Amino acid sequence: MAKDSTKKKRGLLIILLNILAMVILAVLLIIITFRWMKSYTRHGQYITVPDVSGMYEEEAGRVLASAGLRYEISDYKFDKMMVEGGVIEQKPKPGAYVKESRKVYLTLNSGKEPTKAVPDLADNSSLRAAESHLLAAGFKLGPTIYVDGDQDWVYEIRYQGQKIAAGTEVPE
């Protein structure tokens, strides 16, 4: 009977030692993992994104490279107030904190005003339907000019005072 009790105590001691070893190993792994992550992610090390708005692509690329950043053209838009090829927008924004070698996405001015074709609405559409169609297509409407005839009928479409045909490309 005494032998049995000693065996149970020894077995319990081995189990407790194994649990203690697992706890110590888990704590060590957590500490090592967090220290590795801090060095891998360069925690606390950052670069401030410079403002490259209005610069040409080449100049913006040099400024970003000198700051330790990379860039990519993400989009082209039209802005009549800015020179062709100038940076309209950047992401992340100027002054943001980023890691070294981070990619900054630039939107450049295309320099070409976007145009759209005028849909075929003259002489086959009501005024409300034509207005709705043009607004849905992204056009801005000027004042309506009423002429003799049906008041709710579109007889012609004008752009800058000139009558235009369906399919004519006009600036958005």
Side-chain angles (χ1 to χ4, degrees):
M1 193 104 169
K3 217 176 190 186
D4 240 6
S5 159
T6 310
K7 269 187 169 181
K8 284 184 183 179
K9 284 182 184 177
R10 188 192 258 173
L12 185 60
L13 182 63
I14 290 173
I15 291 172
L16 289 175
L17 286 174
N18 280 327
I19 290 173
L20 180 64
M22 286 188 283
V23 168
I24 291 171
L25 184 61
V27 169
L28 283 174
L29 282 174
I30 290 170
I31 291 170
I32 290 169
T33 301
F34 280 122
R35 288 193 179 204
W36 172 79
M37 283 177 63
K38 186 175 182 177
S39 68
Y40 180 76
T41 61
R42 298 183 301 243
H43 183 70
Q45 300 173 14
Y46 58 85
I47 297 171
T48 304
V49 177
D51 186 4
V52 294
S53 306
M55 295 181 188
Y56 288 106
E57 176 187 353
E58 297 79 21
E59 183 183 357
R62 283 193 298 275
V63 169
L64 292 170
S66 69
L69 301 168
R70 299 176 297 141
Y71 80 95
E72 182 177 306
I73 308 300
S74 65
D75 200 5
Y76 289 91
K77 291 183 180 175
F78 176 72
D79 185 347
K80 61 183 167 191
M81 302 303 285
M82 189 172 286
V83 295
E84 181 177 350
V87 176
I88 296 174
E89 184 181 314
Q90 68 183 73
K91 289 181 186 172
K93 299 280 184 204
Y97 299 120
V98 296
K99 299 292 183 186
E100 186 178 346
S101 297
R102 166 76 190 265
K103 197 178 281 187
V104 177
Y105 296 93
L106 304 177
T107 300
L108 300 182
N109 186 13
S110 65
K112 298 174 189 158
E113 191 168 7
T115 60
K116 283 189 178 178
V118 175
D120 184 18
L121 299 171
D123 224 13
N124 70 0
S125 181
S126 71
L127 178 61
R128 284 180 60 165
E131 285 177 341
S132 176
H133 195 78
L134 290 168
L135 289 171
F139 290 100
K140 291 181 183 168
L141 303 179
T144 303
I145 300 170
Y146 292 96
V147 295
D148 287 338
D150 190 0
Q151 254 197 50
D152 191 34
W153 194 250
V154 175
Y155 290 102
E156 63 185 27
I157 297 177
R158 293 179 171 259
Y159 175 69
Q160 293 182 338
Q162 301 294 319
K163 180 179 173 182
I164 56 173
T168 304
E169 295 281 331
V170 296
E172 287 183 2

